[in-house]
Amino acid sequence: MPSIEKICVLGAGNMGHQIALSAALAGYQVKCMDVDAKTLDNAKNFVEKYLPERVAKGKLDEESANMARTGLSFTEDLKIAAGDADFVIEAVLEKLDLKRKIFLELDKICQAHTILTTNSSYIVSSKIADITGRPGKICNMHFFNPALAMKLVEVVKGPHVSDETAEITMELSRRLEKKPVLLKKEIYGFLVNRILEAINKEALFLLDQGIANAEDIDTAVVNALGHPMGPFTLMDFSGIDLLYHIFMEHYHESQNPADKPSPSIVEKYALGEFDRKTGKGFYDYSK
């Protein structure tokens, strides 16, 4: 495996800063970049709270915590973040135009050997790679939320992706103590989210039709199917705003009305009831 020492993570939101911290805990020098100062402050606060808590619980030794703290930095400057990186993981909003704009800039800023990956849940990298001069070094590296705890990483090998890029991305995932799976072809939603989307769509249909409320549907799924959490709890955890953008991106691509977000998702999005952070999603967290 070529030497990867410096990693850049773009996007300091919940996924981004947890991916960055995972890499720092694995011993890499990591720069996490975001254009929003408040998001960066929240990410820094998370790290400063998370590491001592893990040490106090005996889940992490003081030396490893200090190594991660020293190895992780935050910046609003893309050139500082990515200029000397050996590997980049983009974790911004699920908007194709935004990702293409970022990858065009990265292609100009980064060194020739740098691999550029996207953490997108649904957008395949072939829709991004053509904007760069290094399509063979562009691929999907999809982590799951929360990235510090979830082990799975989906690595997607599109027709443009070199064998070396796929192998390096798989091996880096292992060095981050993840369990990578390799998709040999591109497909919308990859593995896990295709299965989850089928469950979520049916759960939303049942809710929209007034068959049962969100709590009863979740109770049925947890207690009959053995899932650790029901679909509506999971949607609140993932973020209803994220789901709205994912459904809309898919609809814009397919022009199939069946791919539009459900009325319940649209209503929650319009009301700003996204998840736990906003105090309300399908459940009320204000108390």
Side-chain angles (χ1 to χ4, degrees):
M1 179 176 173
S3 178
I4 291 178
E5 298 177 358
K6 298 178 180 179
I7 295 175
C8 166
V9 178
L10 300 182
N14 189 47
M15 283 298 292
H17 69 242
Q18 290 204 30
I19 294 170
L21 184 52
S22 295
L25 285 165
Y28 291 95
Q29 295 294 308
V30 186
K31 294 175 184 174
C32 185
M33 179 268 172
D34 203 291
V35 296
D36 184 69
K38 184 178 179 181
T39 301
L40 286 174
D41 286 339
N42 290 339
K44 293 174 189 175
N45 292 337
F46 174 86
V47 172
E48 290 306 314
K49 181 180 179 183
Y50 178 86
L51 292 175
E53 285 182 349
R54 298 295 285 178
V55 172
K57 292 177 180 178
K59 302 290 186 181
L60 186 68
D61 60 72
E62 193 68 51
E63 182 180 355
S64 296
N66 289 334
M67 176 190 69
R69 191 179 288 108
T70 303
L72 177 58
S73 61
F74 297 89
T75 180
E76 294 181 48
D77 192 313
L78 183 61
K79 290 183 179 179
I80 291 174
D84 62 350
D86 302 304
F87 198 97
V88 176
I89 304 169
E90 168 269 311
V92 303
L93 289 174
E94 289 284 271
K95 294 185 177 181
L96 180 58
D97 290 346
L98 175 61
K99 292 181 187 293
R100 285 177 63 85
K101 179 181 178 181
I102 289 171
F103 273 73
L104 179 61
E105 288 300 310
L106 287 172
D107 194 42
K108 298 173 183 177
I109 292 168
C110 292
Q111 303 171 88
H113 72 271
T114 305
I115 290 174
L116 310 179
T117 67
T118 174
N119 179 55
S120 175
S121 313
Y122 286 86
I123 299 171
V124 294
S125 65
S126 60
K127 295 184 176 296
I128 302 170
D130 65 292
I131 201 73
T132 76
R134 62 181 86 194
K137 294 183 181 294
I138 313 292
C139 79
N140 288 90
M141 185 184 191
H142 178 223
F143 292 77
F144 287 81
N145 188 24
L148 282 161
M150 297 292 282
K151 292 295 185 182
L152 187 68
V153 172
E154 293 174 321
V155 178
V156 186
K157 190 177 185 298
H160 58 287
V161 181
S162 71
D163 291 341
E164 182 185 45
T165 294
E167 290 165 8
I168 290 172
T169 306
M170 291 285 287
E171 180 57 27
L172 178 60
S173 300
R174 296 185 190 102
R175 295 188 183 188
L176 299 184
E177 298 187 359
K178 302 301 182 185
K179 298 285 187 182
V181 293
L182 179 64
L183 280 70
K184 299 175 183 179
K185 296 180 180 180
E186 289 186 334
I187 186 168
Y188 176 83
F190 314 145
L191 300 181
V192 175
N193 279 332
R194 287 186 70 85
I195 297 168
L196 274 180
E197 184 175 293
I199 295 171
N200 289 345
K201 277 190 172 182
E202 188 60 30
L204 287 162
F205 172 80
L206 293 170
L207 178 68
D208 291 335
Q209 294 298 311
I211 306 298
N213 62 30
E215 184 175 1
D216 284 346
I217 295 169
D218 276 359
T219 298
V221 170
V222 170
N223 290 281
L225 301 180
H227 292 203
M229 64 178 75
F232 294 101
T233 302
L234 184 57
M235 282 186 265
D236 277 1
F237 188 81
S238 302
I240 293 167
D241 53 337
L242 173 63
L243 292 172
Y244 174 84
H245 289 303
I246 288 170
F247 282 125
M248 287 304 295
E249 283 286 346
H250 193 193
Y251 167 66
H252 288 151
E253 179 183 345
S254 70
Q255 293 299 302
N256 182 354
D259 293 327
K260 285 183 177 181
S262 83
S264 295
I265 292 287
V266 174
E267 179 184 15
K268 293 293 180 186
Y269 182 79
L271 292 172
E273 297 174 353
F274 299 154
D275 49 27
R276 297 166 183 262
K277 295 189 295 294
T278 62
K280 192 173 183 180
F282 286 104
Y283 292 92
D284 189 344
Y285 304 98
S286 59
K287 297 179 182 179

